[in-house]
Amino acid sequence: MTEPVSSQVHPHVAQKKTFLDRVLRGPERIPVFSTFLLILVPQVLFYACVAPFLVHRLSVGVVVVALYVSILCFCNFFMAAGLDPGVILPQQSLDKIENAEQKKEVPPPKEVLVVGGIPFVSKYCTTCNIYRPPRASHCGLCKHCVSTFDHHCPAIGNCIAQRNYRFFVIFVFSTVFMAIYILAFSLANVLLIYFDLGGGGSSFNDAISKAPVACILVIYSFLAIWSPLGLCCFHLSLIHTGQTTKESLSNTFGTRTPYSQSCAKNFFNVFYSPFFPSFEKLREKRAENK
């Protein structure tokens, strides 16, 4: 005898997660490890080959600042990659519509909500069996609806949304700062050796031969900085206007965004607003209590 329809469970809820699934939530594995290595390797080279010279010639403060930014960068990377972005739990019970195929062909009617005086159509998600709240969207890669959805980031391997957006932004900012920092002080390493050798054309070639890693880091940082720098400027603009990436690209609200307040309040809401609870954690605790 088959089980009743009401006992069906969405795959996202029923699936047990391994440790790797909790650290890397999305389907991407290689892009996430590639991002991690692209950030880790130049920093290791900087600390191993450039920092000792700078400590001797300049100050230990150069390394202290670099270590602080490195910790900030990697902590926010793992928070953005491993944190629940704001998954809206699917409806487990399908007893309202007995035939799943019929449900997909004839979805329930849409709900119209009013946000800031602007009517908003709340669409029904036939995969999660829920009405999506304002600003939520269904991620086809992660296969669930996400609250205040910004975008899915393959480099992070996770959706960027309500609960991890601040960590993603800080990760991007700290990455840009670290790239500029490594570029500037690696160049300083080469120039200090150049002037120590007396200057001139031959001295420059000698400086490069004495500090090849610093030269590589200068070139690498210069080439790698532009993409995160553009992303940094783009998200600063989004925070200023109170939009998400999805709303900006689809021009959802046009010139008037009902979620935007003043510039200061928009930044405060991103970085200092109360942390939204995880529905996944609440459901796990409820299951444990049962």
Side-chain angles (χ1 to χ4, degrees):
M1 181 180 295
T2 58
E3 295 182 356
V5 179
S6 59
S7 64
Q8 295 183 29
V9 179
H10 191 278
H12 175 69
V13 178
Q15 182 182 4
K16 291 184 178 180
K17 295 182 179 180
T18 63
F19 174 77
L20 187 60
D21 291 331
R22 292 183 181 275
V23 176
L24 304 175
R25 299 181 57 89
E28 301 90 354
R29 292 292 185 267
I30 295 178
V32 177
F33 284 116
S34 299
T35 302
F36 179 73
L37 291 176
L38 287 172
I39 299 172
L40 177 65
V41 171
Q43 295 190 36
V44 170
L45 292 176
F46 177 79
Y47 292 123
C49 303
V50 179
F53 176 83
L54 295 176
V55 169
H56 176 71
R57 291 296 304 272
L58 299 178
S59 170
V60 71
V62 174
V63 178
V64 172
V65 173
L67 284 173
Y68 173 78
V69 179
S70 294
I71 294 172
L72 190 68
C73 177
F74 286 111
C75 285
N76 284 278
F77 171 81
F78 287 114
M79 289 293 288
L83 197 67
D84 168 21
V87 173
I88 304 173
L89 294 178
Q91 180 177 314
Q92 289 185 327
S93 176
L94 302 178
D95 52 1
K96 291 184 179 180
I97 301 176
E98 296 181 358
N99 190 333
E101 294 299 327
Q102 181 183 1
K103 170 179 70 64
K104 292 182 180 179
E105 294 176 1
V106 186
K110 300 176 181 179
E111 289 186 346
V112 179
L113 306 175
V114 179
V115 179
I118 298 177
F120 179 89
V121 178
S122 178
K123 297 181 180 178
Y124 187 85
C125 179
T126 57
T127 302
C128 300
N129 310 311
I130 59 171
Y131 283 100
R132 288 197 289 263
R135 310 190 90 180
S137 182
H138 185 86
C139 178
L141 293 174
C142 295
K143 303 187 185 307
H144 49 235
C145 289
V146 185
S147 179
T148 316
F149 179 82
D150 189 84
H151 69 287
H152 182 91
C153 181
I156 296 293
N158 195 7
C159 290
I160 305 302
Q162 186 174 34
R163 299 189 74 250
N164 65 345
Y165 181 73
R166 70 181 69 180
F167 302 111
F168 172 78
V169 173
I170 296 174
F171 163 68
V172 174
F173 289 174
S174 58
T175 300
V176 170
F177 183 87
M178 196 65 193
I180 296 173
Y181 199 84
I182 291 177
L183 171 63
F185 282 99
S186 296
L187 183 61
N189 185 2
V190 177
L191 292 177
L192 286 172
I193 296 176
Y194 169 74
F195 289 118
D196 288 344
L197 295 175
S202 59
S203 298
F204 186 74
N205 293 331
D206 293 338
I208 293 177
S209 63
K210 287 181 178 295
V213 175
C215 295
I216 294 173
L217 288 176
V218 168
I219 297 172
Y220 176 83
S221 300
F222 179 78
L223 295 176
I225 194 175
W226 300 108
S227 178
L229 182 61
L231 193 62
C232 179
C233 295
F234 177 66
H235 281 279
L236 282 174
S237 174
L238 291 178
I239 297 172
H240 172 70
T241 57
Q243 297 184 88
T244 64
T245 299
K246 187 175 185 297
E247 291 169 351
S248 176
L249 296 180
S250 61
N251 196 25
T252 303
F253 299 104
T255 57
R256 182 189 175 191
T257 305
Y259 301 100
S260 179
Q261 298 174 319
S262 65
C263 180
K265 286 185 177 179
N266 289 342
F267 276 87
F268 180 87
N269 291 335
V270 169
F271 296 106
Y272 299 103
S273 61
F275 202 57
F276 196 75
S278 171
F279 289 121
E280 286 185 336
K281 297 294 184 183
L282 293 176
R283 170 161 287 185
E284 290 176 0
K285 291 181 179 179
R286 183 178 298 178
E288 291 176 357
N289 294 332
K290 289 182 179 180

